[in-house]
Amino acid sequence: MRINLNSFTSSLAFGSSLLLGAACTPDSAPAETGAASETAGTAETAETAGETGEDQEPPPLEGYADLHLHMFAEDAFGGGWLHGSATGTAELALALCDGGDPGDHARLQDDLAPLFMNCDDATLQDAASQVPLLQAVLTLGGLGISEIVGEVPGSKGDTGLHEDRTGGWPELEGWPRWDTIAHQQSWEGWLHDAYDSGLRIEVVSAVTLDWLCRALPPGNVDRPQCDEMDDVRVQLQKANEFAAANDWVEIALSAADARRIIEEDKLALVLSIEASHIFGEGDWRAQFDEVYDLGVRTLQIVHQLDNRFGGAAPHNSIFHLAQFEESCHLDSDCGITTQALTLGFDVDENCRNVNGLTAEGEALLREMIARDMLIDTAHMSEALTRDVYELAVEHDYYPLYLSHAHFREIMLPAKGREEKTTPSWIVGMVRETGGMVGLRTAHEEVNTYEPSAVTNTCHGSSRSFAQAYDYGRLGLKVSIGLGSDFNGFIQQTRPRFGPDACSASFTEEAQCQARDERLEGFGAVGSDYDDLGLGHVGLLGDLIDDLDQHGVDVEPLRHSANDFVRMWERASGERSGPAEEVDDMELSGITVLPSHFERRAALPTECDEPYCPGALVAGEACRFDAECESGSCAGAGDCDGPEGVCD
């Protein structure tokens, strides 16, 4: 079978949270540490909840919240994917990597066929004959897939062989930057930079996916059992050790705890879990008690795949493969993986996962509610979200939140069709229950939100993020924090300057937008963010500053830590009916962008090729004079001749 590698590369462009995991030996469950002490336990929470009710409004807290960070993902996939460490001196934590040769990280094993041993040969071959993605994974092997797994338009990626991404501290040539998915982005020094910029709530999520652990070369994996709960324990223990070693951070075990920590001008860490097979196949209650004792106060009951607790929202095609490996199901009711078919997931005629909340899922959620834990609805199928909302209403509108979300209506059609994107009706549920949204600091091209003060003229940059943020703030009227998802196997906000500027659409348009940004746009922030984009957690404050200088009202964002604490206080306090009415949402004002074909056709042409006039600066490769800012492309031949260089 011939494979269209262009469409295949696009299908593997990891635009959504793939996320990471780690493992440890079963007997390494850590003891309680001082960082996760119960000094502010349920009794204090209940007492404080009474003090901060409607009769006595607590003072607003300063600082912003990031609702989704994978700080310790160097232990992901058994320790064989991410280069660099979250803790330690910069020289060691951010040391030189091998660039994929011999390949101690950021690559998959040569033979990926064993990942599908659950399916019989006839089923596997039938599916492969109809789904080019599956056929490619079975035939190209790990190195071929690794080379393209991290690529998106405007990026060469940092997976497979990446010899231009090896530089260690202090130069750090090639990483971290907006498109990093295989190198550390959450080093403790950068987290402190974010704290200095006003970060006061950080939800640190232990994350894993056993299928991807098994996809790595065995020699690269430190913990080859690839058990997801082992992965979780390692990361939670590291979070506790980090908090115990640093007096500027503390793990929050209750809403009262979080309020106190922020009032003491420290960073409150809230521990979470994001795992596809959370609590495995054993006694989930015993494991739930264990992670609660380690400080976990919020979690997602599903991640990339359906599990014993509920249905997941399908999105990136790589997870269709993982779901297929478990179910061996090929669904023809609607096509997500191809135009006609969906691998793995059981979908309806609208391509929505039919699986909602299970009996075990309901029991888990009731236990979370009993302990005043926060329910993160990210990655839930729409059916599951509806079921969870009904349970929240039953409990006097118990708060629900989304730790990392894309607003569906603002996304371009291809992204907006994904069930994982968040439609306005789900945002309404979040608002009714008193929850909030962590908005993904994403890299995508989006539609234009006309009420925004920011022009949508630099695709994938802070200008794109501003469209989504303003739509959520002004149109959906929901409380918003950041949902960075660093170390989550996803790309981040692109820069407005440098070679990657505005690069989320197509080359010629990116060149025009970068030209206009350089000549007419707002100035640089003055940090690595300008040319590298949102490359690591320490640059979150720079993103907010960039939005600010564009005229975005970022004051609600700068105080989003207060929204998070108030949400938690609602969970642990008295509730009576909806937190607010939601009939005031205004969904108009979105202008859908013309297609790339239409926009490219509007550009001038020379030698029958579209180009952006005067976009290229001295030293850049050019085809003809009109492309250069100087008007001179030295050394360029005729239309079929060699390229030149702008004078």
Side-chain angles (χ1 to χ4, degrees):
M1 173 179 290
R2 295 189 63 186
I3 301 167
N4 185 331
L5 285 180
N6 289 330
S7 60
F8 175 56
T9 299
S10 177
S11 73
L12 284 181
F14 279 34
S16 297
S17 165
L18 180 65
L19 306 180
L20 308 175
C24 69
T25 55
D27 61 352
S28 64
E32 179 179 330
T33 71
S37 67
E38 291 289 352
T39 57
T42 55
E44 181 181 352
T45 301
E47 178 182 350
T48 305
E51 295 174 356
T52 59
E54 293 182 1
D55 294 336
Q56 184 176 343
E57 188 78 11
L61 298 168
E62 300 288 334
Y64 66 92
D66 178 22
L67 276 54
H68 203 72
L69 174 73
H70 303 300
M71 185 172 177
F72 304 100
E74 64 265 25
D75 284 300
F77 313 149
W81 179 261
L82 191 76
H83 172 74
S85 300
T87 59
T89 64
E91 292 81 5
L92 295 177
L94 308 175
L96 187 78
C97 88
D98 73 358
D101 184 13
D104 64 355
H105 79 110
R107 63 176 297 173
L108 306 178
Q109 62 179 299
D110 292 337
D111 184 7
L112 297 174
L115 295 177
F116 302 94
M117 294 300 290
N118 286 341
C119 304
D120 61 67
D121 287 343
T123 300
L124 185 60
Q125 292 308 314
D126 178 49
S129 69
Q130 300 180 73
V131 181
L133 172 63
L134 177 58
Q135 183 68 39
V137 168
L138 293 174
T139 57
L140 288 181
L143 184 58
I145 300 299
S146 297
E147 284 298 301
I148 59 177
V149 75
E151 293 182 5
V152 296
S155 169
K156 296 180 180 178
D158 65 337
T159 61
L161 294 174
H162 53 278
E163 294 177 352
D164 59 339
R165 302 282 189 107
T166 62
W169 184 268
E171 292 83 8
L172 291 175
E173 295 178 0
W175 68 279
R177 42 179 270 169
W178 69 273
D179 59 354
T180 296
I181 68 170
H183 294 78
Q184 182 62 244
Q185 295 176 294
S186 300
W187 174 59
E188 60 179 311
W190 293 327
L191 184 65
H192 196 279
D193 289 341
Y195 164 72
D196 286 340
S197 74
L199 179 68
R200 289 299 179 269
I201 287 283
E202 183 61 78
V203 179
V204 175
S205 185
V207 62
T208 184
L209 179 58
D210 55 3
W211 188 81
L212 289 163
C213 177
R214 297 195 303 272
L216 297 173
N220 288 359
V221 178
D222 298 328
R223 295 171 298 280
Q225 67 269 31
C226 295
D227 182 279
E228 291 194 2
M229 290 311 294
D230 285 347
D231 303 354
V232 165
R233 294 182 189 100
V234 168
Q235 293 171 66
L236 294 177
Q237 175 65 12
K238 284 193 170 185
N240 278 271
E241 292 169 353
F242 171 71
N246 293 276
D247 60 7
W248 54 277
V249 297
E250 188 175 340
I251 293 175
L253 301 173
S254 66
D257 227 4
R259 180 171 289 280
R260 172 189 57 79
I261 292 166
I262 297 172
E263 287 175 344
E264 293 175 359
D265 199 30
K266 294 189 290 187
L267 173 61
L269 301 184
V270 183
L271 300 189
S272 183
I273 302 173
E274 184 179 54
S276 287
H277 302 102
I278 189 170
F279 305 135
E281 298 179 354
D283 179 2
W284 68 262
R285 294 181 183 274
Q287 296 179 78
F288 180 78
D289 288 341
E290 181 182 8
V291 299
Y292 186 86
D293 289 343
L294 284 169
V296 171
R297 294 298 183 269
T298 179
L299 54 82
Q300 300 167 212
I301 67 171
V302 296
H303 184 207
Q304 304 292 3
L305 312 179
D306 296 343
N307 63 21
R308 63 196 286 191
F309 302 113
H315 61 114
N316 193 287
S317 297
I318 198 72
F319 304 117
H320 304 182
L321 299 178
Q323 186 68 66
F324 176 73
E325 187 269 339
E326 293 192 4
S327 68
C328 302
H329 177 65
L330 188 62
D331 199 304
S332 60
D333 290 328
C334 190
I336 307 176
T337 317
T338 71
Q339 289 187 344
L341 299 168
T342 296
L343 271 180
F345 292 95
D346 185 3
V347 297
D348 61 20
E349 65 276 8
N350 297 313
C351 290
R352 297 297 183 246
N353 190 344
V354 302
N355 292 312
L357 187 65
T358 68
E360 283 190 300
E362 181 178 342
L364 172 57
L365 289 172
R366 289 186 184 277
E367 186 63 32
M368 291 178 67
I369 291 171
R371 301 192 191 198
D372 302 335
M373 295 176 67
L374 291 171
I375 299 171
D376 183 359
T377 62
H379 285 277
M380 288 186 181
S381 69
E382 292 181 3
L384 176 55
T385 303
R386 290 187 182 95
D387 292 341
V388 173
Y389 170 72
E390 290 181 5
L391 189 63
V393 171
E394 177 189 328
H395 287 81
D396 297 320
Y397 291 85
Y398 193 87
L400 306 175
Y401 81 105
L402 287 145
S403 62
H404 53 304
H406 299 78
F407 295 131
R408 180 173 296 170
E409 292 85 5
I410 202 72
M411 306 306 298
L412 295 190
K415 186 72 176 180
R417 283 192 292 268
E418 290 182 358
E419 188 172 356
K420 182 178 173 289
T421 58
T422 304
S424 58
W425 59 266
I426 289 181
V427 175
M429 293 175 176
V430 169
R431 284 185 56 193
E432 271 194 313
T433 61
M436 66 184 298
V437 170
L439 184 59
R440 264 284 289 118
T441 52
H443 66 287
E444 292 103 347
E445 175 186 0
V446 299
N447 291 314
T448 298
Y449 184 57
E450 300 296 348
S452 176
V454 184
T455 56
N456 190 18
T457 54
C458 186
H459 293 313
S461 75
S462 57
R463 290 184 179 272
S464 294
F465 183 83
Q467 310 303 308
Y469 172 74
D470 279 340
Y471 173 64
R473 181 178 61 87
L474 301 173
L476 301 178
K477 298 178 174 60
V478 67
S479 297
I480 297 176
L482 298 176
S484 71
D485 208 356
F486 281 114
N487 287 354
F489 222 114
I490 45 81
Q491 290 81 16
Q492 294 287 343
T493 311
R494 302 179 193 227
R496 291 191 294 117
F497 305 102
D500 294 344
C502 316
S503 55
S505 57
F506 56 91
T507 299
E508 296 84 8
E509 183 173 67
Q511 290 172 346
C512 283
Q513 293 188 341
R515 175 202 63 196
D516 295 344
E517 201 68 31
R518 184 173 69 247
L519 299 177
E520 304 170 10
F522 287 93
V525 172
S527 72
D528 288 344
Y529 169 85
D530 293 321
D531 291 320
L532 302 181
L534 193 60
H536 59 73
V537 68
L539 299 174
L540 286 175
D542 297 86
L543 170 62
I544 298 175
D545 289 344
D546 200 21
L547 295 171
D548 195 0
Q549 74 168 345
H550 280 81
V552 176
D553 181 4
V554 294
E555 285 309 301
L557 188 56
R558 292 194 192 276
H559 292 82
S560 53
N562 186 70
D563 294 333
F564 187 92
V565 174
R566 291 301 304 273
M567 171 178 67
W568 202 351
E569 288 171 340
R570 177 177 171 84
S572 57
E574 294 292 331
R575 298 178 300 279
S576 179
E580 59 176 309
E581 298 299 328
V582 297
D583 56 1
D584 60 347
M585 288 194 292
E586 178 55 66
L587 308 185
S588 64
I590 296 174
T591 297
V592 178
L593 298 181
S595 69
H596 287 186
F597 175 81
E598 293 172 286
R599 282 142 56 189
R600 183 177 276 114
L603 292 170
T605 61
E606 187 165 330
C607 299
D608 295 325
E609 294 287 341
Y611 73 96
C612 178
L616 305 180
V617 298
E620 289 190 275
C622 51
R623 296 168 295 176
F624 28 81
D625 292 342
E627 286 189 301
C628 298
E629 187 176 53
S630 65
S632 174
C633 181
D638 296 331
C639 289
D640 296 327
E643 288 188 341
V645 177
C646 288
D647 286 333

